[in-house]
Amino acid sequence: LSSGNKRTLFTTTSSLWFVDSNEDVWHIDPKERQLFKNGFSITHILSTDSITEIVDTRTTHMLVRTDRGFGVLWLDSGELTFIPGEHIRPRTYGKSWSTWIVWSEWEVIEVLESGDTILLTRTNEPIQDLSTSPKHGTLFFVLPHKIIAFHPEYRTTHVLFESSSEEPMRSIATDSD
């Protein structure tokens, strides 16, 4: 939709579709295990994992959610590189997300623009939620009874808040201003 007008980019019956910033329409045929871009077949998906969502696309790969976590689907080979984690959040904002953060209760992984992954940290307390501060390049972890700021480049942490309540904290939001 643009200025009250709409135009059809492409029609698909697949529930697994994504429109990128170039207005290219990507979709997956789960039965045929085939990836399409604007109706043209790009690659056959070799993995037996069920893809449940297209999260983002790049020129060489796409980031997908599977039935067991996340993965990088390589467009040239159809291979799927598994990324362990249950949650995902963009780290850098802009016209297109440049990096993504995938996390589980105990690990935080960054998915780079290239599709490569970096283990940023492991924790000794379960992560309840995670938020980002693009302005400062910082991540915020919500642990059961505290909020910690983590700077991935310097690998430093700082406790921002500790709660004495019996009730654990569950979520966080960042106001960059």
Side-chain angles (χ1 to χ4, degrees):
L1 302 175
S2 175
S3 302
N5 298 319
K6 68 177 184 175
R7 65 182 174 94
T8 301
L9 297 174
F10 186 79
T11 303
T12 181
T13 58
S14 174
S15 61
L16 294 171
W17 59 272
F18 183 87
V19 179
D20 65 20
S21 59
N22 294 325
E23 296 187 349
D24 291 321
V25 179
W26 300 80
H27 76 274
I28 294 174
D29 180 334
K31 290 181 185 168
E32 298 293 322
R33 307 218 41 87
Q34 197 74 20
L35 171 67
F36 295 89
K37 178 180 174 184
N38 297 326
F40 296 100
S41 177
I42 299 296
T43 190
H44 180 74
I45 302 168
L46 300 178
S47 173
T48 57
D49 287 310
S50 293
I51 296 173
T52 59
E53 179 185 0
I54 300 171
V55 177
D56 197 9
T57 60
R58 295 287 186 264
T59 56
T60 60
H61 63 279
M62 74 176 21
L63 186 58
V64 296
R65 182 186 305 265
T66 73
D67 53 357
R68 64 180 183 124
F70 293 91
V72 174
L73 177 62
W74 300 98
L75 302 181
D76 60 350
S77 67
E79 294 281 342
L80 184 70
T81 304
F82 180 69
I83 306 167
E86 294 88 40
H87 311 282
I88 191 165
R89 175 155 298 151
R91 178 169 176 213
T92 308
Y93 299 88
K95 182 177 179 184
S96 176
W97 311 116
S98 64
T99 67
W100 290 85
I101 302 295
V102 175
W103 78 93
S104 66
E105 278 189 314
W106 309 104
E107 293 183 330
V108 180
I109 297 166
E110 184 170 17
V111 183
L112 303 176
E113 180 86 21
S114 66
D116 295 328
T117 59
I118 297 171
L119 176 65
L120 293 179
T121 192
R122 288 189 170 113
T123 64
N124 58 355
E125 291 183 72
I127 299 172
Q128 306 294 309
D129 194 16
L130 181 145
S131 186
T132 62
S133 173
K135 185 175 180 179
H136 302 290
T138 306
L139 303 176
F140 301 108
F141 304 150
V142 175
L143 304 178
H145 298 286
K146 58 185 151 189
I147 298 172
I148 294 178
F150 172 75
H151 196 287
E153 187 176 338
Y154 300 111
R155 307 272 197 238
T156 57
T157 60
H158 181 75
V159 177
L160 299 177
F161 176 77
E162 285 191 84
S163 170
S164 58
S165 169
E166 293 284 327
E167 186 67 27
M169 291 182 280
R170 302 227 187 270
S171 64
I172 188 172
T174 304
D175 180 351
S176 293
D177 293 335

